[in-house]
Amino acid sequence: MKLREIVESLGLEVKCCGDRLDREVTGAYASDLLSDVMAKSKAGDVWITLQTHMNIIAVAALNDLAGIILVNGREPEEATLKKAEDEGIVIMVSKEPTFEVAGKLYEMGLRGGHGAG
Amino acid sequence: MHAVYQESFHIEGGDFSRAGAAASRVKQILKEIGLDSSYVKRAVVIAYEAEINVVSYATRGKMTLTVSPAKIDITVEDVGPGIEDIELAMQEGYSTASDWIREMGFGAGMGLPNIKKNSDFLEIESEVGVGTRVHAEVHLAKGGRPS
């Protein structure tokens, strides 16, 4: 599915790079530990997190993630938005917490597809 | 004759605004060389974690990427506090990170274990009060494609 469908279905607010919502999403990963995301996320995943600082952009770019969903209505820092624009990383905000966002994406058919280990 | 590509990147300690820049260059170079994405992914994890360690703990560091037909070699040397007990630092979950580093989602004690998991060869040397040298290799199958 495309990012646009997720934005519309979950009522997300797009904070950066709304011109890139045609990006294909192939999975999802939820975590607030950056090393964990480095190790376990896959290219094409949408990443659910509460972290709002600029280092999330490097992690998303290095892993070719489809976009970042910030939870609990958390606003990205200004430096984060600037870097997101430079790197073309889509940032979306949900008013809901991680559990609800992940549950809704799962209902839409997205899977993590990450085995143990 | 074996073609070898080598490039070095400076890493500034404490500067989280630039963290990931060296790893990003590593990714770009390896993709341009045309290596299989599974090799690139492993090397990028190694480079990123090693870079974050320098940013989190050291004064400054230098990452050197060397690519030959046989392997990707990533060596990171820093000037910094060193590691007192390398065996302990290799344990998943062990970390000496400060609170503010942890609040950013770093310092979970996964850095060195992540490097180890993605390396075919790993060597860490450290002297307390002087610095640390991390040397990791990803070995390439003939033709640059994983078997």
Side-chain angles (χ1 to χ4, degrees), chain A residues 32-43 51 53-55 58-59 61-64 83 87, chain B residues 16-20 23-24 27 31 41 44-45 48-49 52 102-106 108 110-111 114:
Chain A
D32 303 318
L33 294 178
L34 274 62
S35 286
D36 178 46
V37 179
M38 282 304 296
K40 298 286 184 178
S41 67
K42 289 185 175 157
Q51 299 288 357
H53 57 82
M54 65 168 76
N55 289 279
V59 169
L62 286 170
N63 290 290
D64 298 319
K83 203 157 184 186
E87 300 275 350
Chain B
F16 278 94
S17 72
R18 298 263 310 142
S24 177
K27 179 184 173 189
K31 281 180 88 170
K41 165 104 190 172
V44 164
V45 171
Y48 183 77
E49 296 291 2
I52 289 298
R102 287 173 199 261
E103 276 165 22
M104 285 195 290
F106 296 117
M110 295 177 71
N114 269 1

Side-chain angles (χ1 to χ4, degrees), chain A residues 68-79:
Chain A
I68 305 172
I69 300 177
L70 303 180
V71 297
N72 292 338
R74 291 169 74 102
E75 291 290 323
E77 292 169 16
E78 210 164 295

Side-chain angles (χ1 to χ4, degrees), chain B residues 78-89:
Chain B
D78 72 45
V79 176
I83 303 170
E84 269 184 41
D85 187 336
I86 293 175
E87 205 178 317
L88 196 56

Side-chain angles (χ1 to χ4, degrees), chain A:
Chain A
M1 73 185 69
K2 297 205 185 306
L3 271 179
R4 186 180 311 282
E5 295 169 54
I6 293 173
V7 167
E8 285 167 5
S9 181
L10 272 66
L12 305 177
E13 191 182 342
V14 179
K15 291 288 182 179
C16 180
C17 310
D19 55 330
R20 289 175 175 254
L21 296 182
D22 285 329
R23 171 83 192 258
E24 195 68 25
V25 181
T26 50
Y29 199 69
S31 179
D32 303 318
L33 294 178
L34 274 62
S35 286
D36 178 46
V37 179
M38 282 304 296
K40 298 286 184 178
S41 67
K42 289 185 175 157
D45 278 357
V46 65
W47 174 22
I48 309 164
T49 184
L50 53 70
Q51 299 288 357
T52 58
H53 57 82
M54 65 168 76
N55 289 279
I56 61 175
I57 305 303
V59 169
L62 286 170
N63 290 290
D64 298 319
L65 303 185
I68 305 172
I69 300 177
L70 303 180
V71 297
N72 292 338
R74 291 169 74 102
E75 291 290 323
E77 292 169 16
E78 210 164 295
T80 307
L81 279 180
K82 170 82 177 59
K83 203 157 184 186
E85 273 165 29
D86 292 346
E87 300 275 350
I89 300 294
V90 178
I91 298 186
M92 301 151 281
V93 176
S94 169
K95 289 190 167 55
E96 296 183 294
T98 298
F99 183 82
E100 275 71 17
V101 172
K104 285 178 178 176
L105 292 180
Y106 197 92
E107 272 186 348
M108 288 176 77
L110 278 186
R111 294 293 180 268
H114 306 273

